[in-house]
Amino acid sequence: MTTTLSHTAVAAPRRRLQRDQVIGLLMVALGLFTAWAFGLGSAGRSHSQFTFNPVNTSGTVPWHLGALTLPTRVSCLLAGALIVAGGVEILWRRPRRALMARFGGGAVLFFLAILLWASRTHGPSQVSFVNLTSVLVGGVAPAVVLIYGSLSGVLCERAGVVNIAIEGQFLAGAFLGSLIDSVTHNFFFATLGGVVVGAGIGAILAFFALRYQSDQIIAGVVLASLVISLGSYLNLQVLTPYPQYNAGSPAPNLTIPLLAKIPVLGPVLFDENGYFYLAVVLVLLISFGLFRTRWGLRVRAVGEHPKAAASVGIDVIRTRYVNVILGGVVAGVGGVALFAWQGQFQPGITSGYGYIALAGLIFGRWRPSGVVVAALLFGMSVYLANNLQTYQVPVSTSILLMFPYVVTIFVVSGLIGRVRAPAADGIPYQRD
Amino acid sequence: MRRLARWWRALYASPVLLTAFAVVLGLVVGMFVIIFTTTPVLDAWRGFFNSWGSPGHAFKATLDYVGAAYRSMFNGAVIDPASLWNSLRTGQGWTQTLTPLSETLTYATPLTIASIGVGITFQTGLFNIGANGQAIVGGIIGVAVGSSLHLPTVVLIPLTLLAGVAGGVVTGAIPGLLKAFTGAHEVIVTLMFNYVANLLLIFALLSTPLQQPGQGNDISRILRPGALLSPLFGATSGLRVNWGLFIAAAVVVLAWWFLERSSLGFEFRVSGANPHAARVSGINPRKVTIVAFLISGGLAGLAGITQVAGTTHYIDGGFLVGSAGIGFTAITVSLLGRNRPIGIMWGALLFAALGVGGRSMQATTGIPLDLATIIQYSIVLFIATPVLVEEIFRLRARGVGGLQLASQGWNT
């Protein structure tokens, strides 16, 4: 019933807020909140400090940047005003392009205001400064994992298969990565493990979705839950009695010689572990592959209109198999990256990242570049949720930890509106 | 003779047999998991070619371990034959004999309610993956009401249950409203709400109104005696099966009536079967979406508070946690029961037995409870792909069809 034709026929014009208006209104609200909570919420005389020198990088620092001291209230009010201005500009001029860039700018200002407010002097905080470099490094780490998950989604869904099992592939990758790293102390083999197990789960999903045409969302959710229970089972049955199999360590950083010494950006972009660089390569590769090569054109054709694709001789089922397995590989490596960031496996290690990655995929509109922006937004909220406690903000830990999930809900509901996925996404294909 | 043949053919083509075979396949998957994770069994297989006796030894070790696991599962969930024989012979120890059945029914009570909630959204073509979160919030609100008010039982029990329903309704309303008005896909929103609800639970348990006085841990106050669903056979019987069973039965009947006989239920099913036709025939998709989520959330909340009022009497940080949480099992149960109330009831009984049996298996053989969950999910994976089961067992279950939902992908 959800063929492309009926879709265009049903999409009758409705009087409702356009997506850009929603974004504009949201930004105005966010700006007002920033000004109220963080600007007026801090005493007039308090100050906040940004520092820039990295605390724990593997390379030595040839430069030394001074701290930047800002008056908290004025800065937060300014940030709020800028966000409001951005929102008003969207509502007023209704710009066609770069909406997300504007919203991203607003989000950055919002995060900065939170940090300024949390670290203000004469506040509850013992720590009276924010190390901006550490914040960026810390926010990129979860973002990398999310990028893998969303890229996996891009590969699968561009070919028309919904992959909800990303959470399961993450968990399996993290489990096997941890196991292999504990035994061999070699992240290359760990990554291979992630590749194999991710591909395996991808193959099972493809098998159920393509050969037996099960409902893809159901198969994905059930498969993910199955892998998660299996992880919990193996944790009790294998890892608890043999703790030597869960004795891995975080992946070491690979420092790129000269570039790593650039202030602020160096530690963030050029002093990361291998999974970061691999993610960058994958983003470029998939972006190029999908939109600039014959392979990509075929994949997109299969995802948009499989019958048409089949009529020009493309093997729809085979394309989908290949892409779902490739997607599984990417998500499996993402699971290893998750372990490489945390350094130890535990049953709840994924904590919904696979599902957040799906939201990032939708937010990023099924494009690798959009996915990166979404992952950074979510990564930063994960970092803030985990680290604002150091500043003893007057909010309970549990409430803070809700932050990334609530951001996700806001993003899928407010920012995206009705999405347009690849037209045949999630619909089983039957050969005639 | 001919009648027998016809009967056999009918059984051969019925979904019941398909389900039974899926269960068998699920148990086979569980068997392999046990084999690959139990050291003595693995050792026996590793020495398969050592001597003439080795293969026999390997099979025997496998049978011993898998048999012990499944036997303790059965004994813990249905009835222990030895204990039954003892009771029949001596007329003593009926409590011990009936405890497994009572436990299974106790566990099936909230599971049935939550699963019917999930099934209603499935029938409407919507996914409610967030029943767990809705049940948690229902539990929180229900306990808040049931542990703090001083009222007579006649008032307090309905009030507590209603509070639980209200908690679920509010939590379920959000994804419904968001779906209807902004198009946010309910899968993501409900999944996120599961995490939010888990954190909310910890927060609520550590804050004053709900936390047990004098406790530093995440434990709630205990429900007032007047808010409890008391055991069916009296508090002294030692059997935990409680009046919640009748709530579950009422929900089954009402849900059946609602889906099969009421006009709103008809609108739900039409929307699920063919959203395009539903819209053309004047069914308001927005209303259907919102109401389906209200009902589903309310039932999940009812399940949560029934669990508390009937069984645990308080909640702690482990309330409905993890992938074995009631909301996730409810998804599988609903699929197992083909989203129909009666089918769901049987499915809930089966999965409750698996869960309860899994606990007994963990206690006697040390194999983690998660094995039961693995078996459950495998069963559902097989149920969701009837063609596969039919191929394996050469069945001919025509007209059963896969579990296809009208809502596919993100575009709907």
Side-chain angles (χ1 to χ4, degrees), chain B residues 333-400:
Chain B
V333 166
S334 175
L335 296 172
L336 186 69
R338 304 198 157 265
N339 305 330
R340 299 203 184 99
I342 310 291
I344 286 174
M345 187 184 70
W346 294 115
L349 280 173
L350 176 67
F351 275 17
L354 275 172
V356 171
R359 222 153 273 151
S360 133
M361 175 189 69
Q362 187 170 23
T364 38
T365 63
I367 294 173
L369 168 63
D370 296 284
L371 183 76
T373 324
I374 294 170
I375 295 175
Q376 288 172 349
Y377 284 121
S378 314
I379 292 175
V380 167
L381 212 48
F382 290 120
I383 289 281
T385 43
V387 193
L388 176 67
V389 182
E390 283 161 27
E391 274 181 16
I392 292 176
F393 289 105
R394 310 260 164 259
L395 280 180
R396 213 170 301 143
R398 262 189 245 103
V400 174

Side-chain angles (χ1 to χ4, degrees), chain A residues 71-373:
Chain A
T72 311
R73 173 178 266 184
V74 175
S75 317
C76 288
L77 284 176
L78 193 66
L82 280 175
I83 303 175
V84 172
V88 170
E89 194 247 8
I90 291 178
L91 288 175
W92 189 264
R93 287 187 43 222
R94 313 285 302 269
R96 280 286 163 124
R97 331 195 86 232
L99 265 180
M100 276 299 121
R102 281 158 223 257
F103 186 79
V108 168
L109 282 170
F110 175 68
F111 287 143
L112 280 179
I114 293 184
L115 289 170
L116 281 169
W117 172 74
S119 67
R120 68 192 188 275
T121 51
H122 313 301
S125 165
Q126 306 296 313
V127 193
S128 60
F129 63 90
V130 172
N131 188 324
L132 212 56
T133 309
S134 307
V135 169
L136 290 176
V137 170
V140 163
V144 167
V145 177
L146 294 174
I147 286 176
Y148 280 104
S150 302
L151 283 181
S152 162
V154 168
L155 283 172
C156 299
E157 301 205 1
R158 280 288 179 176
V161 179
V162 174
N163 181 6
I164 295 209
I166 295 173
E167 178 91 352
Q169 288 161 336
F170 271 175
L171 191 100
F175 178 84
L176 213 62
S178 155
L179 191 72
I180 294 176
D181 179 53
S182 310
V183 176
T184 63
H185 300 290
N186 184 328
F187 269 95
F188 178 71
F189 291 123
T191 312
L192 271 188
V195 165
V196 170
V197 76
I201 298 176
I204 297 175
L205 178 71
F207 183 69
F208 280 110
L210 300 175
R211 176 142 165 62
Y212 294 112
Q213 303 179 351
S214 318
D215 189 283
Q216 292 165 12
I217 292 186
I218 290 177
V221 169
V222 172
L223 204 55
S225 311
L226 177 65
V227 174
I228 289 167
S229 347
L230 199 60
S232 168
Y233 174 88
L234 289 174
N235 180 55
L236 284 175
Q237 188 83 336
V238 180
L239 298 187
T240 310
Y242 307 100
Q244 71 268 27
Y245 291 144
N246 194 7
S249 51
N253 279 4
L254 306 174
T255 312
I256 293 181
L258 277 174
L259 295 172
K261 309 209 161 159
I262 302 171
V264 185
L265 285 185
V268 178
L269 297 178
F270 304 108
D271 190 14
E272 294 276 356
N273 64 27
Y275 296 101
F276 174 85
Y277 305 118
L278 184 60
V280 173
V281 171
L282 278 177
V283 168
L284 297 176
L285 204 66
I286 294 176
S287 204
F288 178 81
L290 269 182
F291 300 111
R292 294 272 183 281
T293 66
R294 177 188 297 199
W295 169 78
L297 185 63
R298 291 185 168 185
V299 167
R300 286 182 292 138
V302 166
E304 293 288 347
H305 204 314
K307 289 235 163 76
S311 72
V312 293
I314 300 172
D315 188 340
V316 173
I317 298 288
R318 217 189 108 206
T319 312
R320 288 189 170 177
Y321 261 112
V322 169
N323 267 52
V324 174
I325 292 172
L326 278 181
V329 167
V330 172
V333 175
V336 185
L338 177 59
F339 154 71
W341 163 43
Q342 305 262 343
Q344 202 191 13
F345 174 81
Q346 51 192 343
I349 189 171
T350 48
S351 58
Y353 287 178
Y355 301 125
I356 295 183
L358 267 178
L361 165 75
I362 299 177
F363 181 53
R365 309 207 143 215
W366 290 269
R367 286 170 171 275
S369 51
V371 154
V372 172
V373 177

Side-chain angles (χ1 to χ4, degrees), chain B residues 16-32 66 70 336 350-351 354 375 378-380 382-383 389 392-393 395:
Chain B
V16 174
L17 200 65
L18 190 74
T19 309
F21 280 126
V23 172
V24 170
L25 284 178
L27 290 175
V28 170
V29 169
M31 183 184 83
F32 278 110
V66 176
Y70 284 167
L336 186 69
L350 176 67
F351 275 17
L354 275 172
I375 295 175
S378 314
I379 292 175
V380 167
F382 290 120
I383 289 281
V389 182
I392 292 176
F393 289 105
L395 280 180

Side-chain angles (χ1 to χ4, degrees), chain B residues 118-360:
Chain B
V118 175
I120 286 178
T121 43
F122 274 144
Q123 285 226 7
T124 319
L126 299 162
F127 296 88
N128 182 8
I129 319 277
N132 216 49
Q134 291 145 15
I136 287 177
V137 177
I140 295 174
I141 309 283
V143 170
V145 168
S147 66
S148 54
L149 297 181
H150 297 256
L151 290 168
T153 310
V154 205
V155 191
L156 192 53
I157 284 188
L159 210 58
T160 308
L161 294 179
L162 274 181
V165 172
V169 164
V170 169
T171 323
I174 299 169
L177 289 169
L178 287 178
K179 164 95 177 177
F181 287 104
T182 73
H185 203 278
E186 74 274 16
V187 168
I188 304 252
V189 179
T190 50
L191 274 169
M192 291 300 120
F193 261 104
N194 282 334
Y195 294 97
V196 172
N198 270 335
L199 292 165
L200 186 73
L201 173 70
I202 306 290
F203 173 72
L205 288 177
L206 290 178
S207 37
T208 324
L210 206 66
Q211 192 176 30
Q212 203 175 104
Q215 269 282 354
N217 297 334
D218 45 356
I219 282 185
S220 80
R221 292 157 179 271
I222 299 174
L223 285 184
R224 310 210 127 262
L228 300 181
L229 295 165
S230 48
L232 271 181
F233 302 107
T236 50
S237 68
L239 299 175
R240 293 205 297 172
V241 57
N242 54 67
W243 288 96
L245 201 60
F246 290 96
I247 299 180
V251 167
V252 171
V253 174
L254 280 178
W256 175 84
W257 175 83
F258 174 75
L259 284 171
E260 307 287 330
R261 292 288 180 272
S262 77
S263 67
L264 188 60
F266 180 71
E267 288 187 12
F268 277 27
R269 284 187 295 130
V270 174
S271 309
N274 189 338
H276 186 53
R279 211 166 310 173
V280 169
S281 58
I283 293 172
N284 183 351
R286 231 178 240 185
K287 183 186 93 182
V288 166
T289 303
I290 295 171
V291 177
F293 262 102
L294 290 181
I295 296 177
S296 184
L299 285 176
L302 181 63
I305 189 60
T306 312
Q307 162 88 353
V308 183
T311 318
T312 58
H313 302 175
Y314 66 91
I315 52 179
D316 58 16
F319 181 56
L320 307 181
V321 159
S323 59
I326 205 173
F328 291 95
T329 317
I331 297 170
T332 59
V333 166
S334 175
L335 296 172
L336 186 69
R338 304 198 157 265
N339 305 330
R340 299 203 184 99
I342 310 291
I344 286 174
M345 187 184 70
W346 294 115
L349 280 173
L350 176 67
F351 275 17
L354 275 172
V356 171
R359 222 153 273 151
S360 133

